[in-house]
Amino acid sequence: MNNETSDKKRESISDVYFKSLKNYSMRYRYAAVFQRRVNIILASGIAVVIFWIFAAFIDSRFFYDGSFTDLLILDVPGSIISYRLLVCILFVTIYLLLYGYSDASSLDRALKRSSKWFSTTLRCIGSALIAVDKKSNIIFMNPKAEELTGTMLTQAVGRPLLKLLKIWDTSKSTDYGKRLSDVVQEGRSFSLTNAAVLEVPGTAPRYVLGNVAPILDEEQELLGAVLVLHDVTASKNAEAALKQSQERYLLATRAAKVGVWDWNLATGELYLDPSLKAGLGHTDDDLPSRRETWQALIHPEDIEGVRTAEAEHLAGDTEEYVHEYRMQQKGGGALWYMARGRAIRDDRGKAVRMVGTYTDITARKAAEIELKRAKDIAESANRSKSEFLTNMSHELRTPLHAILSYAGFGVRKHETVTSEKSLGYFTRIERSGQILLDLLNDLLDLGKLESGVTGLEFEKANLGELINTVIDNLSALVSEKDLKVAWSNTTADASAFVDPHRICQVMRNLIGNAVKFSEPGRSIDVRLEHKDSCYRISVADRGVGIPADELESVFDKFIQSSKTRTGAGGTGLGLAICREIILAHDGRIWAESRRDGGTEFIFEIPTSE
């Protein structure tokens, strides 16, 4: 019962709105009526002629001899003419009454059908429709408008539009509702081409698009306006959700350095995530969406591996395509990527498409390289430690064995041994002890130099004078082996900031080695010269020489040349100590083989400048 009452009220209210719509239909009705009246006049004239002839025919049958010759003659008795006119008028009147009634009834029925059809359309339309009078008071709302505003038509009729709803732009800086009201009263059209916010008291804000059109009567007088609102809240929410999802995806892929690729095998087109192109220094438009363009950026050393991995997966030999390779950057350099993907196949199992991801693994590769380097260093250090301990054991065991042996002889034979033999035992024990002491001192010295605790005391000194001092100190040793030292100084004043004690230590080691491994009667060349911004000192002998592949390793701890292991003595630490001392002076030291035989040791240290 309530529903029927509500429908009746809605229909009665709708009639107010549709009354204005009838005005439009009436204009077409008047035009149709005028046309029909013209048609009636023409039809009446024709009917008069027809009915006159018909009446004449009747007269000829009943009042004359039955001939039809006087049908159109007018000089007949007046009673006959009056009779004929009466018959014509009677028939024409009946015709006009029937025709006019039929015409009015058909127009009314057509108008009612049109109004019914139009009202049903408005109620079923998917957009909200609100009709207002020229004062912006609501006179009609369709069901969609009731749903959008949360207000029934019976409650809304007569209320001002702005009391029912407010429409703002998304920034809430423009009141579209006020503008719509002004437009209605001015009789202008207006469109909301951008989504606006619709606020209705007691409901959640909605996003709408809309149009306003005025309603005018036949004299172009303003009757009101129609407001059509399209609820786009769902699409706006979906758009916002999509945008948020895209932003989340973009942030996640950028943080993980991951991008998407999609390869159409039939056309050769290749979609690449813009972040991948940006990583290589390209914009999104720089690289055509072609497989060949992308392949051209693969590092030449990796291209065959990429092709092989792709071919295996496309042939179905692998379940998933996974490969790591380098891509060349626009400004030089390369980045490591790991590509993962799967082929999409048709009904026959043929691969038609491949989709996957790229991950920037440059940092991981750098870490792997660093880890491998650290591992190699650790393994090398471990080997060096083992070699060091082995060499140490050997070097310490030899003098200790001599000390213990000769001491044992003295203990066992002290009652029977002669003084001379006892002196010989003690002499050998002293010599072995000195060798052991030198070894331990060298080890301590080398340990300090390698750890950076050098204790060097730099001062300005003349290198020529230091070398002269060393040569004088070793003159007895040189003479003992019948050798000569050829000393050459091409500098005027070779002054430099050095540790004089350590430089003399280097010179004693180098000249001492030259004396040790030179044959009697040979010459040792010592030279000092200025070379660019350095002083270069060289010591050259004419001994057995050092093989080319050992010129670098002789500076390692406990390493001696295969040609100089002659039992001439030495701990194998002297050259290692020399290298550490020269490095502490920001210099360098190396060895070269001489063409005429022998070896030349050279070191450079910066000048005082």
Side-chain angles (χ1 to χ4, degrees):
M1 183 67 181
N2 292 333
N3 291 336
E4 294 178 359
T5 304
S6 178
D7 290 340
K8 288 180 179 179
K9 288 183 178 179
R10 181 179 295 168
E11 289 178 1
S12 63
I13 294 171
S14 300
D15 290 341
V16 177
Y17 171 61
F18 291 121
K19 184 177 180 180
S20 62
L21 298 178
K22 286 183 180 180
N23 293 328
Y24 289 98
S25 301
M26 289 301 293
R27 287 185 296 172
Y28 298 101
R29 181 181 179 183
Y30 294 150
V33 169
F34 176 77
Q35 182 64 43
R36 286 181 179 272
R37 286 174 180 174
V38 172
N39 294 339
I40 288 172
I41 293 172
L42 293 176
S44 299
I46 295 172
V48 167
V49 174
I50 292 173
F51 291 146
W52 183 274
I53 295 173
F54 179 73
F57 175 75
I58 296 298
D59 291 344
S60 66
R61 299 286 295 183
F62 293 99
F63 297 98
Y64 299 99
D65 58 0
S67 65
F68 203 59
T69 57
D70 60 348
L71 181 64
L72 298 177
I73 298 174
L74 297 178
D75 54 348
V76 294
S79 61
I80 297 300
I81 295 175
S82 299
Y83 169 75
R84 290 181 182 179
L85 287 174
L86 181 64
V87 170
C88 288
I89 290 170
L90 177 62
F91 276 101
V92 170
T93 301
I94 294 172
Y95 171 76
L96 291 177
L97 288 174
L98 293 175
Y99 190 88
Y101 176 77
S102 173
D103 180 49
S105 298
S106 62
L107 285 175
D108 286 338
R109 287 196 299 272
L111 182 59
K112 288 180 180 179
R113 285 197 301 268
S114 177
S115 298
K116 190 67 175 179
W117 178 85
F118 192 60
S119 64
T120 303
T121 300
L122 292 180
R123 292 190 179 96
C124 297
I125 196 170
S127 298
L129 186 143
I130 302 175
V132 297
D133 60 21
K134 59 184 179 181
K135 294 182 179 180
S136 297
N137 294 324
I138 297 173
I139 60 174
F140 174 76
M141 291 197 311
N142 69 348
K144 193 66 178 179
E146 292 179 332
E147 178 186 339
L148 184 63
T149 61
T151 305
M152 297 297 294
L153 175 60
T154 54
Q155 299 170 336
V157 170
R159 294 178 60 186
L161 178 64
L162 296 183
K163 294 290 184 180
L164 183 64
L165 53 84
K166 291 185 180 298
I167 304 178
W168 302 84
D169 66 351
T170 52
S171 64
K172 289 198 172 183
S173 60
T174 303
D175 185 352
Y176 285 136
K178 182 65 169 59
R179 184 178 296 181
L180 291 176
S181 180
D182 295 340
V183 167
V184 168
Q185 296 180 19
E186 294 170 5
R188 295 187 293 109
S189 297
F190 178 73
S191 296
L192 294 174
T193 55
N194 296 320
V197 179
L198 173 67
E199 291 184 348
V200 177
T203 64
R206 312 287 290 179
Y207 290 98
V208 295
L209 294 174
N211 297 281
V212 176
I215 298 177
L216 306 175
D217 61 12
E218 58 273 16
E219 281 81 24
Q220 299 299 306
E221 291 293 328
L222 180 65
L223 297 176
V226 175
L227 171 63
V228 180
L229 297 176
H230 312 284
D231 188 354
V232 294
T233 304
S235 62
K236 286 292 290 186
N237 290 340
E239 181 183 335
L242 177 61
K243 183 178 180 181
Q244 184 181 26
S245 176
Q246 289 175 335
E247 290 176 350
R248 188 183 299 115
Y249 165 79
L250 184 61
L251 290 174
T253 54
R254 285 183 177 177
K257 295 186 177 181
V258 176
V260 177
W261 56 273
D262 187 346
W263 177 21
N264 187 323
L265 277 71
T267 63
E269 293 183 1
L270 177 66
Y271 167 78
L272 292 169
D273 196 296
S275 63
L276 295 174
K277 298 179 182 180
L280 297 175
H282 295 274
T283 64
D284 195 22
D285 299 327
D286 278 353
L287 299 177
S289 299
R290 301 293 304 174
R291 175 65 178 169
E292 299 80 9
T293 305
W294 188 247
Q295 273 192 330
L297 297 178
I298 299 176
H299 196 283
E301 296 177 3
D302 301 335
I303 186 66
E304 286 303 320
V306 172
R307 289 173 177 168
T308 301
E310 287 178 352
E312 290 176 351
H313 182 65
L314 293 176
D317 297 336
T318 57
E319 182 178 354
E320 184 181 18
Y321 168 70
V322 181
H323 196 64
E324 297 178 358
Y325 53 91
R326 288 164 292 177
M327 300 294 295
Q328 301 175 92
Q329 291 180 288
K330 186 176 182 179
L335 296 178
W336 277 95
Y337 286 96
M338 179 176 69
R340 306 177 69 99
R342 287 180 182 269
I344 299 174
R345 305 179 185 276
D346 58 17
D347 297 337
R348 295 172 296 175
K350 180 182 177 182
V352 295
R353 183 180 171 193
M354 272 186 73
V355 180
T357 60
Y358 273 110
T359 305
D360 188 341
I361 59 171
T362 306
R364 193 197 80 188
K365 279 292 185 179
E368 288 178 358
I369 294 172
E370 184 62 27
L371 182 62
K372 185 178 182 302
R373 190 181 72 84
K375 180 182 177 183
D376 292 342
I377 292 174
E379 290 176 349
S380 176
N382 190 52
R383 287 193 301 270
S384 298
K385 182 187 72 173
S386 299
E387 294 172 0
F388 176 77
L389 292 175
T390 300
N391 290 327
M392 276 294 298
S393 299
H394 174 74
E395 296 297 334
L396 290 173
R397 186 183 297 113
T398 300
L400 282 174
H401 179 71
I403 291 171
L404 292 174
S405 295
Y406 288 113
F409 288 151
V411 170
R412 290 193 300 272
K413 299 179 180 182
H414 70 280
E415 294 180 352
T416 59
V417 72
T418 62
S419 298
E420 276 185 40
K421 284 198 173 186
S422 293
L423 180 60
Y425 293 155
F426 286 123
T427 301
R428 289 181 174 85
I429 290 172
E430 181 187 18
R431 187 183 304 147
S432 297
Q434 188 61 48
I435 292 173
L436 183 60
L437 179 61
D438 291 342
L439 176 61
L440 293 175
N441 285 334
D442 286 345
L443 284 173
L444 292 173
D445 211 5
L446 183 61
K448 289 180 180 180
L449 290 168
E450 287 183 335
S451 64
V453 187
T454 59
L456 297 182
E457 297 179 0
F458 287 89
E459 60 181 73
K460 191 170 184 179
N462 188 295
L463 295 179
E465 295 177 359
L466 296 178
I467 294 172
N468 269 326
T469 300
V470 173
I471 292 174
D472 288 342
N473 291 339
L474 295 177
S475 60
L477 181 62
V478 172
S479 300
E480 186 179 331
K481 286 200 67 174
D482 192 21
L483 298 173
K484 294 181 180 179
V485 175
W487 160 232
S488 172
N489 183 1
T490 62
T491 64
D493 178 20
S495 296
F497 281 98
V498 296
D499 183 325
H501 172 71
R502 292 295 187 177
I503 294 298
C504 289
Q505 182 180 354
V506 172
M507 291 304 301
R508 279 195 300 271
N509 192 292
L510 296 180
I511 296 175
N513 285 343
V515 172
K516 191 185 302 181
F517 300 111
S518 294
E519 296 294 330
R522 297 296 183 94
S523 173
I524 299 172
D525 298 328
V526 179
R527 183 179 178 84
L528 169 62
E529 59 183 331
H530 189 277
K531 190 75 171 178
D532 297 329
S533 60
C534 295
Y535 289 118
R536 176 177 289 184
I537 299 97
S538 61
V539 177
D541 62 47
R542 289 176 175 77
V544 294
I546 298 175
D549 59 347
E550 297 178 2
L551 290 173
E552 186 67 30
S553 62
V554 293
F555 291 96
D556 295 335
K557 296 185 289 290
F558 300 111
I559 300 299
Q560 294 185 15
S561 171
S562 57
K563 289 188 176 183
T564 59
R565 295 172 188 160
T566 59
T571 62
L573 296 174
L575 290 177
I577 293 173
C578 289
R579 180 172 61 182
E580 295 300 326
I581 292 174
I582 297 303
L583 290 176
H585 283 77
D586 295 328
R588 65 190 187 108
I589 186 170
W590 70 97
E592 296 177 357
S593 294
R594 301 183 67 179
R595 292 182 180 179
D596 55 351
T599 305
E600 183 177 14
F601 286 87
I602 308 164
F603 68 90
E604 293 178 344
I605 56 176
T607 63
S608 59
E609 301 173 359

